[in-house]
Amino acid sequence: MELFQAKDHYILQQDERALWCSRRDGSLHLRPATDLLLAWNPICLGLVEGVIGKIQLHSDLPWWLILIRQKALVGKLPGDHEVCKVTKIAVLSLSEMEPQDLELELCKKHHFGINKPEKIIPSPDDSKFLLKTFTHIKSNVSAPNKKKVKESKEKEKLERRLLEELLKMFMDSESFYYSLTYDLTNSVQRQSAGERDPCPLWQKVDDRFFWNKYMIQDLTEIGTPDVDFWIIPIIQGFVQIEELVVNYNESSDDEKSSPETPPQESTCVDDIHPRFLVALISRRSRHRAGMRYKRRGVDKNGNVANYVETEQLIHVHNHTLSFIQTRGSVPVFWSQVGYRYNPRPRLDRSEKDTVAYFCAHFEEQLKIYKKQVIINLVDQAGREKIIGDAYLKQVLLFNNSHLTYVSFDFHEHCRGMKFENVQTLTDAIYDIILDMKWCWVDQAGVICKQEGIFRVNCMDCLDRTNVVQAAIARVVMEQQLKKLGVMPPEQPLPVKCNRIYQIMWANNGDSISRQYAGTAALKGDFTRTGERKLAGVMKDGVNSANRYYLNRFKDAYRQAVIDLMQGIPVTEDLYSIFTKEKEHEALHKENQRSHQELISQLLQSYMKLLLPDNEKFHGGWALIDCDPSLIDATHRDVDVLLLLSNSAYYVAYYDDEVDKVNQYQRLSLQDLEKIEIGPEPTLFGKAKFSCMRLHYRYKEASGYFHTLRAVMRNPEEDGKGRAANLMKTSLASDLKIKALWPREKNF
């Protein structure tokens, strides 16, 4: 559709339809296309794909119109329905302010042979008026007016900051999807229940997932059939559609192709091999939407944070099979103060005060899905225990026969990165999976329905949740394909199918994680490949540190934008954050210096405590233990003090909660076999961490090692792995022990 700029309006026009957007009060009106002749000097700015809605970033400032500038075709769902992803947006101030260069595609009708649209030229009277007004303002700025001007500038700065966050939200995350002919907000089962409804698409949508509902409210309230063309329901979440081929005779060369981007032609083989379409659709709820440390638990309406419905859809011939699962924050009142690297969760209301809101949440869930099987993955010990215990108590108080509670301590069962142990869970609930069934429809109608859903959660409902949901969905998909005769009864999914399937779920996890936490999922490499590797642990270290940084400042702006998109008043004092951001940064640097001083004091204290008098102290460092044989480093970083003497090295485990070392190991340098040092995997550009492996013998047996990495450093410091280099130098020069330095490749 074409976008025109006139003196008082922006006008969107396609065929005989036109939408007029006022530049004076932000109102939207439908008018005949022929009314373009009545507009004052309309200039075609270019082509856009559709309207997302409008948003006001500050009550004293104009509305902004959000348009789809560019889309990408994701694929086609059964029935030849195209699904598109919003890749770029255009944002126009509904005011007299001149638009920036929107970089729109130019329409051939109005821009034949022209590279850029011409700018609208104000009338002479307008120019004189603006000049006179500006001169008047400039010459009559009194002290009170200066204060108002300053306040106005602050509002405009804040608006620009929020506008920047809005653009990033749509264009960096690429997490908004739409279809002009298919209802992405509703599952196949819900659609089949209301398929005879003659209402237009936007009136059939599931209100929970209609993300631009508030932004498009001016149009939905018009109430005439003419408006249907302009309303595009948009979801936030994830959509991927692939065609898979069941071929058990794949060559080994084909299997070696990159798992990140499987070649498209790999899915095209002889017709003798069965093929099927698989789609993954995740829908994030617009209720209690927001960022991880800004939105936790349940609210007063029974909505929970990070609530996502994920539908796995299989289409073979004329048969469409759908299986849905949900994830969502533990529905009690809890929070984490996000200014520590690893904040401790806390309960914000008593058990008694929580009951009504817990009930409200599950009463709505049971109304929609009939039955719920809770899969709770939080730790049953340690800092997460308080949330898990509160959850279980509320389930017992709710006491509903349609609610089943399953607890699976993910980190206990999958300790040491053994994520394949999730099969322990899927084996245990196998009968429940089969009893739940799935939705199955063909051209004649509904063959069977899914009876209940799995509601999976961990603390963030991101990494662990995605691994478990992928495992459950795989069990279901294999059963579905065997029922349809696409897979032999006793055969697993072919290697290539399995690889693409894993990539889809890993992409799903990354997308939801970016939307809630600001970075990719921490356990993506397991979901993607079925294996957990040291490179994945190192990548997780970067992501975990990134999440901490994002939480400090960016989350406040992102949360404000999300709230404004949903018509929710912004409660956080953004001016305080905005005006004092530099002060916060200075304070953060000061805290870093204080932290370094604390580390120095700790090293000195424990050097005296642990080292005997006959040992010479060579150096000490504060590091992070990412040894897979001891812990799951993606779950909780363990602080380590590494002390080096002339005859031994000490690994002391420091508990920051009690502010002391709770255990340590002394290892003789005679038992140290080799040291491997290398940079982090460069998946995110320049390396930020160095990793060091200390291989040693224990009781004359080899095969033991410590894997340590540096704590995230200030960007102003060198990026060469200072602690690792110093230890390498000390060992190699002073102690004559060979150090390996594989700079040319990562672990």
Side-chain angles (χ1 to χ4, degrees):
M1 63 185 66
E2 295 165 307
L3 172 65
F4 292 89
Q5 178 190 354
K7 179 184 175 183
D8 296 328
H9 293 86
Y10 286 109
I11 303 166
L12 291 156
Q13 187 163 312
Q14 182 163 333
D15 301 327
E16 301 304 315
R17 305 177 181 92
L19 177 65
W20 287 50
C21 312
S22 173
R23 298 177 67 184
R24 295 194 179 275
D25 60 11
S27 59
L28 307 180
H29 302 280
L30 301 181
R31 293 176 66 168
T34 52
D35 278 7
L36 185 64
L37 299 172
L38 305 177
W40 191 89
N41 191 22
I43 301 295
C44 182
L45 299 178
L47 300 174
V48 295
E49 300 293 342
V51 181
I52 294 174
K54 65 177 190 177
I55 188 171
Q56 190 176 29
L57 299 174
H58 194 284
S59 58
D60 296 334
L61 295 172
W63 289 85
W64 291 84
L65 181 67
I66 308 173
L67 305 172
I68 302 170
R69 173 159 66 98
Q70 195 174 95
K71 67 180 181 182
L73 179 65
V74 175
K76 292 184 178 182
L77 290 172
D80 214 30
H81 298 288
E82 289 188 349
V83 178
C84 296
K85 174 168 58 178
V86 178
T87 55
K88 291 181 181 178
I89 62 170
V91 183
L92 290 166
S93 176
L94 293 178
S95 68
E96 295 179 356
M97 178 172 41
E98 284 296 306
Q100 300 294 320
D101 185 4
L102 300 175
E103 299 181 356
L104 300 181
E105 180 185 346
L106 303 182
C107 73
K108 295 177 182 178
K109 183 166 63 174
H110 296 102
H111 299 98
F112 182 74
I114 301 174
N115 292 325
K116 287 190 176 182
E118 58 184 303
K119 290 193 174 181
I120 191 166
I121 302 170
S123 68
D125 290 340
D126 286 342
S127 297
K128 288 177 182 177
F129 173 76
L130 291 172
L131 182 60
K132 184 179 178 181
T133 304
F134 178 74
T135 306
H136 177 76
I137 291 171
K138 189 175 179 181
S139 61
N140 291 280
V141 176
S142 60
N145 285 339
K146 284 182 179 178
K147 185 178 180 181
K148 289 182 180 179
V149 169
K150 184 180 178 182
E151 289 176 356
S152 178
K153 285 183 177 179
E154 285 182 351
K155 288 176 185 176
E156 289 173 2
K157 284 181 181 178
L158 180 58
E159 184 187 45
R160 283 199 298 271
R161 183 66 182 84
L162 293 173
L163 189 62
E164 178 186 319
E165 202 60 45
L166 175 71
L167 291 166
K168 286 180 180 177
M169 187 173 171
F170 273 93
M171 296 199 286
D172 288 357
S173 64
E174 294 191 349
S175 60
F176 292 92
Y177 299 82
Y178 70 95
S179 173
L180 299 177
T181 58
Y182 187 86
D183 183 2
L184 288 175
T185 70
N186 273 307
S187 65
V188 169
Q189 184 159 313
R190 292 198 295 273
Q191 288 186 51
S192 63
E195 61 186 354
R196 294 184 180 180
D197 188 345
C199 293
L201 181 67
W202 70 269
Q203 292 183 3
K204 298 179 184 179
V205 296
D206 190 318
D207 182 73
R208 297 174 296 166
F209 308 119
F210 188 177
W211 252 75
N212 58 328
K213 179 182 178 179
Y214 176 77
M215 292 187 285
I216 209 79
Q217 191 172 349
D218 279 16
L219 295 181
T220 59
E221 290 177 350
I222 289 176
T224 62
D226 295 343
V227 80
D228 298 340
F229 172 82
W230 299 101
I231 300 174
I232 303 175
I234 290 176
I235 67 165
Q236 187 188 35
F238 175 77
V239 181
Q240 186 169 347
I241 303 167
E242 299 285 348
E243 185 182 50
L244 303 186
V245 179
V246 181
N247 180 9
Y248 289 96
N249 300 315
E250 296 164 313
S251 66
S252 57
D253 289 341
D254 195 46
E255 291 173 16
K256 292 177 183 177
S257 60
S258 169
E260 294 290 334
T261 53
Q264 294 294 324
E265 64 271 17
S266 66
T267 59
C268 299
V269 295
D270 274 335
D271 291 337
I272 59 171
H273 300 296
R275 64 184 67 222
F276 64 97
L277 180 139
V278 59
L280 206 56
I281 304 171
S282 281
R283 315 167 175 104
R284 280 174 61 81
S285 174
R286 66 185 184 88
H287 301 302
R288 196 153 174 75
M291 305 305 292
R292 180 168 66 154
Y293 288 113
K294 301 295 180 183
R295 293 291 181 268
R296 292 288 208 189
V298 72
D299 68 10
K300 293 180 180 179
N301 297 314
N303 301 309
V304 295
N306 201 25
Y307 183 89
V308 184
E309 180 188 81
T310 299
E311 179 178 21
Q312 181 174 278
L313 191 149
I314 307 293
H315 184 72
V316 183
H317 305 305
N318 294 319
H319 296 267
T320 301
L321 297 88
S322 158
F323 183 76
I324 58 176
Q325 303 177 73
T326 62
R327 67 178 77 189
S329 191
V330 174
V332 299
F333 289 96
W334 67 281
S335 61
Q336 281 179 285
V337 180
Y339 292 99
R340 290 190 51 192
Y341 184 74
N342 191 15
R344 179 178 286 276
R346 67 185 185 195
L347 293 174
D348 297 327
R349 291 202 186 184
S350 67
E351 180 182 298
K352 182 180 178 181
D353 291 341
T354 302
V355 170
Y357 307 103
F358 182 92
C359 292
H361 173 71
F362 275 108
E363 282 169 1
E364 186 199 27
Q365 293 297 296
L366 293 174
K367 182 179 178 182
I368 297 169
Y369 301 110
K370 310 308 178 189
K371 295 178 183 178
Q372 292 257 307
V373 178
I374 296 169
I375 308 290
N376 183 18
L377 305 176
V378 304
D379 293 354
Q380 295 171 26
R383 63 178 60 201
E384 294 184 4
K385 186 176 187 295
I386 187 174
I387 304 301
D389 288 350
Y391 198 0
L392 178 57
K393 286 177 183 176
Q394 291 294 330
V395 170
L396 294 173
L397 290 170
F398 188 57
N399 191 26
N400 190 301
S401 60
H402 296 297
L403 197 65
T404 303
Y405 181 88
V406 177
S407 181
F408 182 78
D409 191 329
F410 186 96
H411 288 117
E412 180 63 32
H413 286 87
C414 303
R415 183 178 293 274
M417 305 188 300
K418 301 293 185 183
F419 293 169
E420 61 272 17
N421 290 348
V422 169
Q423 187 174 343
T424 306
L425 171 63
T426 54
D427 288 346
I429 63 172
Y430 186 75
D431 290 340
I432 298 176
I433 296 173
L434 295 185
D435 289 344
M436 193 173 286
K437 301 176 183 152
W438 50 79
C439 177
W440 184 351
V441 299
D442 63 7
Q443 290 177 318
V446 179
I447 296 173
C448 73
K449 294 182 179 180
Q450 182 175 340
E451 298 175 1
I453 59 161
F454 288 102
R455 185 199 191 277
V456 187
N457 74 273
C458 50
M459 291 296 282
D460 298 329
C461 304
L462 295 177
D463 314 318
R464 290 172 273 180
T465 296
N466 203 64
V467 170
V468 169
Q469 284 194 335
I472 293 172
R474 175 177 168 155
V475 172
V476 172
M477 185 175 72
E478 289 183 347
Q479 289 298 318
Q480 291 171 335
L481 294 176
K482 288 171 183 176
K483 281 272 187 185
L484 292 168
V486 176
M487 272 177 61
E490 303 301 323
Q491 286 277 10
L493 202 63
V495 173
K496 190 184 296 182
C497 285
N498 185 52
R499 180 165 54 85
I500 296 172
Y501 174 78
Q502 287 174 326
I503 290 168
M504 291 177 71
W505 271 96
N507 291 342
N508 177 67
D510 283 350
S511 186
I512 293 171
S513 183
R514 287 190 188 96
Q515 293 156 29
Y516 188 50
T519 61
L522 296 184
K523 295 170 178 64
D525 62 323
F526 175 78
T527 314
R528 207 175 291 277
T529 65
E531 297 179 359
R532 191 76 175 119
K533 299 180 180 178
L534 184 61
V537 175
M538 298 300 294
K539 177 180 174 182
D540 286 353
V542 179
N543 283 345
S544 189
N546 282 346
R547 288 182 182 180
Y548 170 67
Y549 165 74
L550 288 169
N551 169 59
R552 292 192 61 82
F553 296 114
K554 295 177 73 176
D555 279 7
Y557 300 118
R558 178 65 62 90
Q559 184 64 55
V561 169
I562 292 170
D563 287 344
L564 291 167
M565 288 172 68
Q566 304 306 328
I568 300 169
V570 177
T571 55
E572 190 160 5
D573 185 1
L574 293 178
Y575 280 113
S576 174
I577 295 172
F578 182 73
T579 56
K580 296 181 180 180
E581 193 163 348
K582 289 186 178 179
E583 294 177 27
H584 279 268
E585 289 175 358
L587 181 62
H588 180 55
K589 288 181 180 179
E590 181 62 34
N591 288 340
Q592 283 186 319
R593 284 192 290 271
S594 300
H595 184 61
Q596 291 300 322
E597 290 172 6
L598 174 63
I599 289 171
S600 297
Q601 292 172 8
L602 283 170
L603 291 170
Q604 290 295 323
S605 299
Y606 283 100
M607 173 196 73
K608 295 175 183 177
L609 184 66
L610 299 179
L611 269 66
D613 294 336
N614 61 346
E615 289 188 18
K616 180 183 175 184
F617 179 65
H618 277 270
W621 304 273
L623 302 171
I624 297 294
D625 191 325
C626 51
D627 189 337
S629 66
L630 297 176
I631 59 166
D632 175 12
T634 67
H635 165 51
R636 185 186 175 206
D637 291 321
V638 175
D639 295 318
V640 166
L641 300 178
L642 176 64
L643 306 176
L644 176 65
S645 76
N646 61 326
S647 58
Y649 74 90
Y650 298 76
V651 179
Y653 295 90
Y654 178 75
D655 188 340
D656 63 349
E657 295 296 327
V658 294
D659 197 24
K660 68 178 183 180
V661 168
N662 53 24
Q663 60 175 312
Y664 77 96
Q665 249 184 309
R666 180 188 184 278
L667 293 149
S668 171
L669 293 179
Q670 298 298 322
D671 292 326
L672 185 62
E673 295 181 316
K674 65 177 178 178
I675 301 174
E676 292 178 319
I677 306 173
E680 53 150 343
T682 54
L683 296 173
F684 298 111
K686 187 178 179 181
K688 294 176 185 165
F689 295 92
S690 289
C691 181
M692 174 170 60
R693 265 189 186 167
L694 306 175
H695 293 261
Y696 64 92
R697 292 186 302 273
Y698 178 70
K699 294 183 178 180
E700 303 302 321
S702 297
Y704 296 90
F705 59 85
H706 291 289
T707 307
L708 308 173
R709 67 164 172 81
V711 180
M712 188 176 182
R713 296 182 301 278
N714 189 317
E716 295 173 2
E717 296 182 17
D718 68 273
K720 299 178 181 178
R722 192 175 175 187
N725 269 337
L726 283 170
M727 183 163 182
K728 175 187 77 99
T729 304
S730 296
L731 289 171
S733 59
D734 294 355
L735 304 172
K736 311 300 182 189
I737 294 178
K738 184 179 180 182
L740 304 179
W741 183 251
R743 282 184 179 274
E744 69 281 357
K745 62 181 180 179
N746 302 318
F747 290 135

